[in-house]
Amino acid sequence: MDLNHTNLGLTASREEERPEEEFENPLPRAVLRLNNHQLLDGEWKFAIDVDDCGLREGWYLGHHYEHTANWPGSVEMHMAQAKGQASPVAWQDKVVAWYEREFTMPERGEPQSRSMFQLTFGACGYETRVWLNGHLLHTIEGEEVHYGEYTSFSYEIPENILHLGNRLTVRIVDTMDADLPRGKQESHVYKRGGIWYQTYTGAVRSVWLEMVERNRLRSRLGVVSVVEDQLVRFNVTMRIHDPGNYIVRLKVFARDSHDAEPLATSDFPMRLEAGQKQQRLVMEVPDAQLWSPESPTLYRLVAQLIDSDGYEAQIEAYFGLRKIEARGCHVYLNNQRIYLDGILYQPGTATFAEMQRHMYAMKELGCNLVRVHIAGIDPRIYNLADELGLLLWVEVPSPHSSTARSRRNHKAELLRMLALIETHPSIVIWSLYNEDWGVQDIATSTKTQKYIVDTYHYMQLAHPQFLVVDNDGWHHISFTGRLKSDLLTAHLYTPDLGRWRELLDRLVHGEMEGTAAFPLVVGDPFFYRHQVPLIVSEWGGFGFPDYGGPADDAERTERIRQFKQELRARPIAGDVYTQATNIEDERNGIIDAQTGALNVPAGLLASGPLEQPKVAN
């Protein structure tokens, strides 16, 4: 993608210039806006507001900061560095951190009537307030306080508060509140240790300033393909300041074709009012090839918003055409039956470069599926999965308590994630919850069950390009005998091969109790007759001492081969080995977390020539 092409110019002053990034997309976003940017990463002033008095005392109007910190980075590490310590600092209730830096206003490359400055945080939180020169900013969605810490958010900068020299102030708040989505980080409910990790919060991704058009397409795209009709359904979002007549022009190119004619193009004239509007647009892409792990064919979409003067505001993204279905007891990709050879991946505090190495290593292991375990990751990793042909199973970072408030926070987090990552053909499965975390009353609470059922139905209607799991591992919800999950999943852990065979036999014969740690289904009676794909979505744990696994890599390799063979000898649609890398107390990884080197033979998790058994009618 040609990053030298610009819609709008933004020229950094000399002291703000930075060397060019070595990789194609230097910003943590999946959809590109082809203009220049000014990265605001680097050294910031830093302070911990121990008494939470900064708002009352007006620190955003001016404050003496005793410390500095490098953005991006976790507040835990920044606190440690301020104390002269090498390891992250833990906190037990609430942390309030302030960051501040100065920057020179870039030179404007376009007239003010057409353009504006936009400030974007790749991810920050859980609560974020931002001031520019003492003025509180509001996000494009109108928030004084942005909630969430896994997805990006942006501010349009009013011209009247920009100066030649500018002061940017950020207040970040996080707590151990169990109602907040946090995944496997500790909280008031689950303390650090075992499978619960130290918090990693705050200024966790880059922040940048860029010039954008007043009337533009936002950097969020959805793609839905129905492979039988050669039609692609694009969800686009328009941001309008000047009402009028516009044309949205979509052009589809071969992935690496920049000078050739488009494979398909279509115009969509619309009358647009001020504000934000989402619109589905459908176009034909004749003779398009489908995306799959064996052939990850990608196309390049150029989307333009054209005003009455003919000016084109443009974004670009890669996309692929694919269809995922749960049909009977099998999973189908592009109408072809597929077995899911998966691995559980917990990136933790891995850097972007380390995550890249992990993805290549998981592909080398023979996996066609990576289950990204209840974590938000750098969006460029989704792009990499698209390129490598790795299917992704993503999950909403879970709260740790089941309340009306935790459900509202969970839904908000789900919607934020969906808005930004529904472009990718690699993302095929979503989990709403995992092992009852955040829905501990799922077996007894009608309110909890209703929320999950309603969310499952919403996903079916609004995002039909994904399979959805209600609560992964056990306690799936049955309503009038119909499973409210596209997959019946089970977490099975044992180091004993004989016990493993017994558990798998009980599972495929439909024993809903006594197989996993808890009953597989709650709610109304559910009778399993191979009407839904069965996935062993966690197994192994070899190397985690509490599981009694093998002591060395050679023994672990042989155990994995034996257990995998038993899985493929039964009518099971896929499995997810636990797990890719070591993380904190969990020492069951088979990939070196730093280098990406394999500790077991390449191809170990590939299914091999075994045929999936047929189920008798």
Side-chain angles (χ1 to χ4, degrees):
M1 195 169 287
D2 182 9
L3 289 176
N4 293 319
H5 169 73
T6 57
N7 286 351
L8 298 168
L10 185 155
T11 305
S13 59
R14 288 188 181 273
E15 60 268 31
E16 295 295 338
E17 288 178 355
R18 298 179 181 276
E20 284 189 11
E21 302 285 346
E22 294 181 358
F23 40 86
E24 187 177 66
N25 178 13
L27 299 177
R29 60 182 176 188
V31 177
L32 297 187
R33 185 175 302 283
L34 301 185
N35 53 4
N36 295 328
H37 65 272
Q38 180 175 334
L39 201 61
L40 298 181
D41 292 353
E43 187 175 273
W44 288 57
K45 299 173 184 177
F46 169 72
I48 291 295
D49 189 353
V50 177
D51 299 318
D52 195 9
C53 60
L55 280 177
R56 296 192 305 273
E57 295 178 359
W59 287 13
Y60 49 89
L61 298 174
H63 180 70
H64 173 67
Y65 292 85
E66 296 183 359
H67 306 289
T68 60
N70 281 311
W71 190 308
S74 72
V75 69
E76 291 80 11
M77 184 55 75
H78 293 160
M79 287 191 293
Q81 292 167 347
K83 296 179 180 180
Q85 300 174 6
S87 300
V89 169
W91 45 275
Q92 297 303 319
D93 185 31
K94 179 179 179 180
V95 62
V96 182
W98 289 73
Y99 295 81
E100 189 169 282
R101 67 155 291 165
E102 296 177 352
F103 67 92
T104 302
M105 185 173 76
E107 299 174 9
R108 181 188 290 277
E110 285 288 328
Q112 181 175 336
S113 61
R114 175 166 286 152
S115 63
M116 58 178 20
F117 288 105
Q118 178 173 284
L119 178 71
T120 299
F121 290 76
C124 185
Y126 184 73
E127 299 178 25
T128 306
R129 281 184 172 90
V130 179
W131 293 263
L132 181 63
N133 300 321
H135 297 273
L136 179 65
L137 301 181
H138 293 72
T139 68
I140 293 177
E141 286 69 33
E143 307 163 311
E144 286 189 3
V145 182
H146 174 76
Y147 295 96
E149 57 185 303
Y150 302 104
T151 54
S152 65
F153 53 97
S154 298
Y155 301 87
E156 295 173 340
I157 306 299
E159 292 286 338
N160 62 330
I161 65 172
L162 266 173
H163 309 311
L164 290 178
N166 297 278
R167 178 170 48 85
L168 184 63
T169 310
V170 181
R171 177 182 182 266
I172 302 171
V173 180
D174 208 344
T175 72
M176 291 288 176
D177 186 346
D179 281 350
L180 303 184
R182 60 194 323 112
K184 290 180 71 171
Q185 299 182 78
E186 68 172 313
S187 70
H188 287 147
V189 171
Y190 299 121
K191 297 301 183 182
R192 184 184 179 189
I195 64 170
W196 304 105
Y197 310 144
Q198 178 173 308
T199 55
Y200 179 81
T201 189
V204 294
R205 285 192 208 137
S206 293
V207 56
W208 62 93
L209 185 70
E210 60 186 327
M211 189 75 73
V212 298
E213 296 88 355
R214 286 170 50 83
N215 309 298
R216 62 193 183 278
L217 296 167
R218 294 203 66 187
S219 297
R220 43 183 73 181
L221 280 169
V223 178
V224 181
S225 58
V226 178
V227 300
E228 291 84 358
D229 62 10
Q230 294 189 324
L231 296 177
V232 189
R233 294 138 178 90
F234 295 101
N235 297 325
V236 299
T237 302
M238 293 151 286
R239 173 66 172 165
I240 303 297
H241 284 268
D242 306 306
N245 295 316
Y246 292 85
I247 294 174
V248 176
R249 179 170 295 158
L250 302 181
K251 296 188 284 187
V252 174
F253 298 83
R255 186 194 190 286
D256 297 317
S257 176
H258 293 277
D259 299 323
E261 290 296 311
L263 302 175
T265 185
S266 192
D267 284 4
F268 303 88
M270 282 181 277
R271 171 75 187 181
L272 297 174
E273 303 301 325
Q276 186 161 293
K277 175 179 175 59
Q278 187 178 79
Q279 179 73 40
R280 173 165 287 195
L281 305 173
V282 182
M283 65 182 295
E284 185 177 9
V285 182
D287 302 318
Q289 299 180 34
L290 301 183
W291 182 97
S292 69
E294 297 75 24
S295 179
T297 302
L298 292 173
Y299 293 92
R300 183 169 61 98
L301 173 70
V302 174
Q304 298 169 326
L305 182 68
I306 305 171
D307 64 19
S308 56
D309 295 327
Y311 180 81
E312 302 169 351
Q314 180 172 309
I315 58 175
E316 293 191 11
Y318 295 123
F319 72 96
L321 306 179
R322 65 104 182 108
K323 177 183 179 182
I324 192 79
E325 287 181 291
R327 196 189 306 166
C329 63
H330 302 296
V331 174
Y332 287 80
L333 180 67
N334 303 330
N335 295 320
Q336 299 294 318
R337 200 174 74 190
I338 184 174
Y339 185 87
L340 301 177
D341 289 306
I343 191 168
L344 189 79
Y345 179 46
Q346 304 192 84
T349 59
T351 65
F352 173 60
E354 288 170 340
M355 284 190 284
Q356 286 179 301
R357 292 193 283 269
H358 299 162
M359 296 294 284
Y360 281 102
M362 289 184 279
K363 183 78 172 180
E364 189 180 358
L365 278 169
C367 299
N368 61 14
L369 172 77
V370 175
R371 182 176 162 217
V372 183
H373 196 30
I374 51 176
I377 58 173
D378 190 307
R380 290 170 292 185
I381 293 300
Y382 304 125
N383 282 349
L384 180 58
D386 293 343
E387 295 170 10
L388 292 178
L390 275 171
L391 301 168
L392 295 182
W393 178 337
V394 299
E395 303 175 321
V396 187
S398 60
H400 289 178
S401 64
S402 185
T403 66
R405 180 168 170 262
S406 78
R407 292 189 286 272
R408 288 194 299 271
N409 290 336
H410 177 272
K411 185 64 174 289
E413 199 68 65
L414 170 66
L415 295 178
R416 283 190 289 264
M417 293 177 71
L418 283 165
L420 293 170
I421 63 173
E422 67 164 342
T423 309
H424 306 281
S426 57
I427 299 177
V428 294
I429 304 172
W430 281 77
S431 281
L432 303 181
Y433 288 96
N434 175 78
E435 293 187 350
D436 303 351
W437 301 342
V439 284
Q440 293 90 332
D441 56 358
I442 188 172
T444 57
S445 170
T446 56
K447 290 182 179 179
T448 295
Q449 291 180 6
K450 184 179 186 304
Y451 168 71
I452 294 175
V453 170
D454 288 348
T455 306
Y456 170 74
H457 288 158
Y458 164 78
M459 292 290 288
Q460 282 190 313
L461 292 172
H463 303 279
Q465 69 270 41
F466 305 123
L467 300 179
V468 179
V469 177
D470 54 352
N471 176 54
D472 187 48
W474 48 70
H475 283 165
H476 300 281
I477 298 174
S478 170
F479 182 73
T480 64
R482 300 175 63 184
L483 204 65
K484 295 305 175 180
S485 177
D486 292 323
L487 306 172
L488 179 60
T489 68
H491 294 177
L492 305 180
Y493 285 110
T494 176
D496 181 75
L497 185 59
R499 174 64 173 162
W500 178 243
R501 293 187 182 110
E502 176 191 347
L503 290 175
L504 293 182
D505 286 339
R506 297 181 65 172
L507 187 65
V508 300
H509 285 98
E511 296 186 29
M512 296 292 101
E513 297 189 20
T515 304
F518 296 94
L520 287 185
V521 178
V522 297
D524 295 329
F526 176 77
F527 303 97
Y528 177 68
R529 299 294 186 268
H530 304 281
Q531 70 271 44
V532 62
L534 186 61
I535 307 287
V536 180
S537 53
E538 286 188 27
W539 67 275
F542 303 144
F544 194 12
D546 290 348
Y547 297 164
D552 57 50
D553 291 335
E555 186 183 352
R556 183 184 308 177
T557 297
E558 183 56 29
R559 192 76 61 87
I560 291 172
R561 285 197 177 112
Q562 292 172 343
F563 276 50
K564 186 79 171 182
Q565 186 173 14
E566 296 297 333
L567 284 161
R568 291 311 317 272
R570 290 165 175 81
I572 291 171
D575 67 84
V576 179
Y577 176 78
T578 305
Q579 65 181 332
T581 63
N582 292 340
I583 178 168
E584 296 206 16
D585 292 342
E586 294 194 67
R587 318 303 296 172
N588 50 346
I590 54 178
I591 299 170
D592 186 278
Q594 282 71 50
T595 67
L598 300 185
N599 299 325
V600 295
L604 179 62
L605 294 180
S607 285
L610 284 175
E611 284 294 324
Q612 177 77 333
K614 293 181 172 61
V615 177
N617 292 325

